[in-house]
Amino acid sequence: MKKNSIRNFLSRLKILASNKSLFLKLDYNKINKFLAEFLTKEGYLRGFFLVDKKKDISKMYVILKYNEKDQPSICFIEKKNVLSNKSQFIKQKKLRKYCNGLGLTLIYSINGFITSELAFWLKLGGKKIFELK
């Protein structure tokens, strides 16, 4: 369930970014909210807001971010088998290349969801959720 939700969020985000749409409408759940908060904090999205109907939050809108050349900032999602059945565990030694500002990787470790740079400095490994370049 979680893998499908993350895959759905990222694929819909990439499709709408290629269509030059401004808003992405999603069902509200904790995973979608966490991913929207994370990508907004890292500067890949402009923001998001929740829509409540009769005090029950049911929908969520994500606002996409574009640069001066009308290219979406989220268009660099790696299309690998990140969420396949086999384990995508990254050791701490392999995280060195991500600390030079060459990309962003979301990792699930024993400390929860963290970025690749923070995992490198904490000397942790973890399962790679997705990668942006």
Side-chain angles (χ1 to χ4, degrees):
M1 180 65 180
K2 292 179 185 178
K3 290 180 182 180
N4 289 335
S5 183
I6 294 169
R7 185 182 298 130
N8 184 27
F9 179 86
L10 294 174
S11 64
R12 289 189 62 197
L13 190 64
K14 185 157 182 152
I15 289 169
L16 286 176
S18 66
N19 292 340
K20 304 214 180 206
S21 179
L22 291 176
F23 294 101
L24 170 62
K25 183 179 178 181
L26 296 166
D27 291 331
Y28 173 77
N29 59 31
K30 290 181 182 180
I31 295 171
N32 288 345
K33 183 181 176 193
F34 169 76
L35 289 173
E37 283 177 349
F38 176 75
L39 291 173
T40 301
K41 185 178 94 175
E42 295 296 328
Y44 287 96
L45 296 176
R46 182 166 289 177
F48 69 97
F49 59 93
L50 307 173
V51 177
D52 58 343
K53 294 182 180 179
K54 298 179 184 177
K55 306 216 176 183
D56 179 33
I57 298 172
S58 61
K59 295 291 178 187
M60 180 173 127
Y61 286 90
V62 176
I63 307 168
L64 300 176
K65 186 176 182 181
Y66 294 92
N67 62 9
E68 301 85 32
K69 297 177 184 177
D70 288 335
Q71 294 176 341
S73 62
I74 202 73
C75 69
F76 303 110
I77 294 176
E78 278 287 314
K79 286 200 122 188
K80 292 183 180 177
N81 264 343
V82 174
L83 297 170
S84 64
N85 291 333
K86 60 184 178 179
S87 178
Q88 293 264 339
F89 191 82
I90 297 179
K91 294 182 180 178
Q92 188 264 341
K93 293 177 184 176
K94 290 187 177 182
L95 291 173
R96 190 173 306 157
K97 65 180 179 180
Y98 298 112
C99 290
N100 296 329
L102 299 175
L104 175 72
T105 304
L106 182 65
I107 295 175
Y108 183 72
S109 70
I110 58 171
N111 290 350
F113 290 100
I114 56 176
T115 62
S116 55
E117 186 174 357
L118 184 59
F120 174 77
W121 293 113
L122 292 175
K123 296 184 179 177
L124 294 173
K127 185 173 181 179
K128 180 169 69 170
I129 304 299
F130 69 88
E131 180 176 356
L132 295 171
K133 288 193 175 192

